[in-house]
């Protein structure tokens, strides 16, 4: 389940206006359910009546489609990373084998 902030994104594109809830925001991006917008492309306006912020994004349809592809790409990367969990540990680790060799040598020296 996704936790939403009280903030909204006001998307103005061509001849329509959409108000979308902000799912996540950081210093670089504003994320909604369908799009990721760069913070640099949005104008932040305070809504004193509700106590939240409206991020206004004035964009064309190709820009909006690109933001949607960016969102899909970030979700695909997250899913890929979930399935590749622990892949780093499976790679050849020379330190492990060196420590194993030292352990075997110590065992033989203590037995003899």
């Amino acid at each position: 389940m996704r936790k939403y902030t009280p903030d909204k994104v006001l998307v103005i594109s061509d001849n329509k206006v959409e108000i979308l809830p902000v799912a996540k925001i950081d210093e670089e991006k504003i994320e909604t359910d369908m799009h990721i917008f760069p913070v640099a492309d949005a104008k932040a306006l305070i809504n004193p009546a509700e106590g939240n912020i409206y991020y206004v994004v004035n964009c064309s349809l190709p820009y909006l489609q690109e933001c949607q592809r960016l969102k899909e790409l970030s979700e695909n990367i997250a899913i890929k990373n979930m399935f590749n969990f622990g892949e780093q540990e499976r790679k050849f680790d020379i330190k492990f084998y060196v420590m194993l060799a030292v352990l075997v040598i110590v065992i033989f020296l203590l037995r003899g």
Side-chain angles (χ1 to χ4, degrees):
M1 185 172 167
R2 186 154 228 151
K3 183 179 179 186
Y4 291 92
T5 69
D7 302 331
K8 308 277 187 226
V9 176
L10 185 68
V11 180
I12 303 170
S13 64
D14 300 327
N15 293 329
K16 70 177 187 172
V17 174
E18 284 184 89
I19 300 175
L20 306 171
V22 173
K24 184 177 166 187
I25 187 167
D26 60 27
E27 298 83 29
E28 297 176 358
K29 64 186 179 301
I30 304 165
E31 189 174 333
T32 67
D33 280 342
M34 295 179 55
H35 309 286
I36 293 179
F37 299 101
V39 170
D41 292 351
K43 181 177 181 180
L45 302 173
I46 298 172
N47 180 0
E50 295 178 15
N52 59 351
I53 299 173
Y54 276 80
Y55 296 95
V56 181
V57 180
N58 192 352
C59 57
S60 63
L61 183 59
Y63 176 85
L64 201 56
Q65 290 170 337
E66 192 61 34
C67 289
Q68 187 170 1
R69 276 193 282 266
L70 183 61
K71 172 72 175 181
E72 291 168 358
L73 178 64
S74 71
E75 289 174 351
N76 289 340
I77 290 172
I79 290 171
K80 181 180 174 186
N81 287 340
M82 280 193 308
F83 288 112
N84 289 337
F85 180 76
E87 184 176 310
Q88 295 294 333
E89 290 83 19
R90 285 183 265 160
K91 291 184 179 177
F92 180 73
D93 188 8
I94 189 74
K95 290 183 267 182
F96 172 75
Y97 292 108
V98 169
M99 292 300 291
L100 184 61
V102 169
L103 181 64
V104 169
I105 292 170
V106 168
I107 290 172
F108 280 122
L109 289 176
L110 291 177
R111 290 182 69 196

